[in-house]
Amino acid sequence: MQTLKGDVVMEQQIQIGWQGRFYEDFEVGDKIAHALGRTISQTDNSWFTQLTQNTNPIHFDHHYAKQTEFQKAIVNSAFTIALVTGQSVSDISQNVMANLGWDEVRLPHPVFEGDTIYSYTEILSKRESAKRNNVGIIEVKTTGYNQDGQIVIHFKRTMMIYKKGYAPNIMKPLINQVISQDGK
């Protein structure tokens, strides 16, 4: 795309945003800190619990929860695994072809409404797929921790990750057309 600045025609390049890692980008032993934390609200906990039809009142009945050893509502652990997995997507599984499994899920410390959860992932192993030349298989361990540095969850996940040049396109062909129309 060209723009005119004074009497000079300037070439502008479109910078494509982060597209995630591909199989070739992973190295065993790497630890990747995920950029975003998330504070969990009472509404998050209540809605997720209702969406998943979890009927344990410790997640949504504060009167009940006050009678437990925790003295307050505990965040639904399925929400915790979903959140920490989600925090890792842009760094780990943006280019996943398929998740093959979650293993060894551990919840060493409860999560409460109002906690802020952060996470990081360690690359445990990587190997070529025996059946598909367009993907490789990686195994990771993802750890979530709260604002006080207490580990609240860790789990292993195995997935098939696209190799460079094999992932489906994500709207890239349209960007030039959209930008050229912008400002008209």
Side-chain angles (χ1 to χ4, degrees):
M1 181 172 17
Q2 296 182 346
T3 59
L4 188 61
K5 190 172 188 173
D7 292 334
V8 179
V9 174
M10 310 221 13
E11 286 290 324
Q12 293 181 336
Q13 275 193 326
I14 297 168
Q15 301 295 319
I16 301 297
W18 175 244
Q19 298 292 305
R21 287 178 174 80
F22 293 92
Y23 174 73
E24 297 87 347
D25 299 321
F26 293 98
E27 294 296 331
V28 173
D30 283 354
K31 291 182 180 173
I32 302 163
H34 307 304
L36 300 176
R38 173 89 156 54
T39 302
I40 301 171
S41 71
Q42 179 181 352
T43 302
D44 295 329
N45 191 31
S46 177
W47 282 2
F48 189 89
T49 298
Q50 292 173 51
L51 284 170
T52 57
Q53 297 182 340
N54 183 329
T55 59
N56 188 327
I58 199 161
H59 301 307
F60 56 84
D61 182 333
H62 286 218
H63 174 73
Y64 174 90
K66 282 181 185 177
Q67 299 173 64
T68 70
E69 67 180 272
F70 301 108
Q71 302 286 302
K72 54 187 171 180
I74 295 175
V75 170
N76 184 322
S77 56
F79 180 90
T80 304
I81 194 171
L83 172 63
V84 172
T85 298
Q87 288 176 334
S88 75
V89 168
S90 64
D91 294 317
I92 303 300
S93 57
Q94 188 72 41
N95 291 303
V96 72
M97 175 194 219
N99 282 303
L100 300 177
W102 278 261
D103 296 299
E104 300 179 31
V105 178
R106 301 292 181 267
L107 304 157
H109 187 76
V111 175
F112 300 104
E113 296 168 350
D115 280 352
T116 301
I117 304 302
Y118 304 92
S119 61
Y120 72 92
T121 298
E122 179 179 0
I123 311 307
L124 299 177
S125 68
K126 90 181 239 188
R127 66 177 174 85
E128 298 284 332
S129 171
K131 296 180 181 177
R132 294 180 170 88
N133 67 349
N134 61 336
V135 297
I137 297 171
I138 67 166
E139 181 185 30
V140 302
K141 178 182 178 186
T142 300
T143 301
Y145 57 97
N146 68 16
Q147 68 283 346
D148 298 321
Q150 296 166 313
I151 294 175
V152 298
I153 189 169
H154 54 87
F155 54 85
K156 291 181 179 178
R157 182 163 61 129
T158 305
M159 59 212 115
M160 288 192 290
I161 305 287
Y162 282 112
K163 292 180 178 179
K164 290 179 181 176
Y166 289 98
N169 281 327
I170 303 175
M171 303 290 283
K172 290 181 219 170
L174 290 176
I175 192 68
N176 289 326
Q177 174 186 344
V178 172
I179 287 176
S180 68
Q181 294 173 13
D182 191 25
K184 286 185 179 179

